[in-house]
Amino acid sequence: MTRRRKLAGWLVVLGTLHVVIVCAGFFAPNDPVTQDREHPYAPPSKLHLWDMQGHLHVRPFFYPLRTREDLFDRYVEDTSRMIPLKFLASGVRYKLLGWVPCRLHLFVVDDARIYLLGSDGYGRDQLARILYGGQVSLLAGWLGAGITLSLGLGIGAVAGYYGGWRDEILMRVAELFLALPWLYLLLGLRAFLPLAVSPLKAFLLIAIVSGTLGWARPARLVRSVVLSTKERDFVRAARGFGASDKYLFRRHIFPETSSVLLTQAAILVPQFVLAEMTLSFLGLGLPEPVASWGNLLANLQQYSVLVSYWWMCLPALAIVPFVLSYLGLASALQEWADFSKIEA
């Protein structure tokens, strides 16, 4: 029961985090690509409950920022205007789940823009760009993990089940892929591509190439499971009664690999998200104005941004709860699989 609760707890945490990212338009008060050139590098807006006269307000409010006269990128609060937050109200239009037109937001403000996590050099809302960027980065992670596990399952099952020269060739290729410096390969691949790549092509390039390069380790794990499974009595009995290879794979081999694949999925998704962040940070990923956690961090390559605007580092922290949750889920899945084998 404790293992089941632990597994359910991590699933709830991960589900909650993904709901926030998937419903980014609902939680973000501003559009991620709309620019406000009057407020570049605006610091995070401060929420208040007490006004300057000491009166308590039921709804949180903030004071809009105005530029200091001596410095264009330094701001002070304009305490002459008090702008309250409106919860569950209509705001800028967005598409829920990518295709459902919607205007309902968790909170909006009238006649101003609120920057809970500050703005970038173009005055774009950091909170909105982090939430929308998470959709791109997490989708790249899921696609990359899906490609890797599909290749690993197919190659590992063939190598473990048939053995012989097939096993030797496939495992030697797997060792080669494990030894390849994938980052340098991606840099070389990018050099042969046009300088201007559409966001969709760049996204697919990241997912396909990173997924293709990562199949070796899951394939070796699947191979070890298949080697053990094919020698079990119930598999030998089914083969003796004339069961085909296709039947054995479908009914006995693949079900035994499910725990390994689920655990590997929980480990690989954050790894591929970090890979997307690395590639986009280096300029090999999605181009502007599409937001991803990687290209949001690309601004930190400028020393002045790194030392002057601390809120520009916040996209790097967005991945932390996802990595910890996925690794916690992987640990819970491994414990559950070990416990199930003991019971069996």
Side-chain angles (χ1 to χ4, degrees), residues 80-305:
S80 62
R81 295 178 60 198
M82 187 179 65
I83 303 177
L85 272 63
K86 297 169 61 177
F87 292 95
L88 298 178
S90 177
V92 297
R93 188 180 299 275
Y94 63 94
K95 290 185 177 181
L96 186 64
L97 303 178
W99 67 81
V100 181
C102 189
R103 299 192 66 173
L104 181 66
H105 293 261
L106 178 62
F107 64 93
V108 297
V109 296
D110 293 331
D111 302 326
R113 287 170 63 90
I114 183 172
Y115 301 107
L116 289 183
L117 298 183
S119 70
D120 63 7
Y122 297 100
R124 297 175 296 191
D125 185 11
Q126 278 283 92
L127 174 61
R129 293 184 64 77
I130 289 175
L131 292 177
Y132 279 94
Q135 295 180 346
V136 174
S137 296
L138 290 174
L139 183 57
W142 275 97
L143 286 178
I147 295 173
T148 290
L149 293 178
S150 298
L151 291 174
L153 175 60
I155 295 173
V158 169
Y161 185 81
Y162 292 105
W165 61 270
R166 299 180 182 89
D167 185 23
E168 287 293 329
I169 293 176
L170 292 175
M171 289 302 99
R172 298 296 81 76
V173 175
E175 292 173 358
L176 175 63
F177 269 76
L178 288 173
L180 286 176
W182 64 269
L183 183 58
Y184 295 105
L185 288 176
L186 291 174
L187 290 172
L189 176 63
R190 185 65 181 88
F192 288 98
L193 295 176
L195 293 178
V197 180
S198 67
L200 179 59
K201 290 182 179 179
F203 174 79
L204 294 176
L205 176 68
I206 292 174
I208 294 174
V209 173
S210 60
T212 303
L213 292 177
W215 62 267
R217 185 168 284 105
R220 292 169 66 90
L221 293 174
V222 169
R223 171 183 174 272
S224 64
V225 174
V226 173
L227 283 173
S228 173
T229 303
K230 74 174 185 178
E231 299 299 330
R232 294 187 180 180
D233 293 337
F234 59 87
V235 176
R236 289 185 174 183
R239 188 185 296 113
F241 281 109
S244 64
D245 291 344
K246 181 179 179 181
Y247 176 86
L248 293 176
F249 273 111
R250 179 169 53 88
R251 291 296 301 270
H252 300 298
I253 302 298
F254 288 152
E256 290 294 321
T257 64
S258 59
S259 60
V260 172
L261 293 177
L262 289 174
T263 304
Q264 281 296 298
I267 296 174
L268 289 174
V269 170
Q271 289 184 1
F272 283 116
V273 173
L274 291 172
E276 184 279 325
M277 294 177 65
T278 302
L279 294 176
S280 296
F281 177 79
L282 296 175
L284 304 178
L286 277 83
E288 290 279 1
V290 178
S292 74
W293 286 342
N295 60 26
L296 289 180
L297 293 174
N299 294 318
L300 299 180
Q301 297 180 21
Q302 305 177 37
Y303 179 75
S304 59
V305 174

Side-chain angles (χ1 to χ4, degrees), residues 314-325:
L314 294 178
L317 301 179
I319 185 60
V320 174
F322 286 92
V323 171
L324 296 179
S325 299

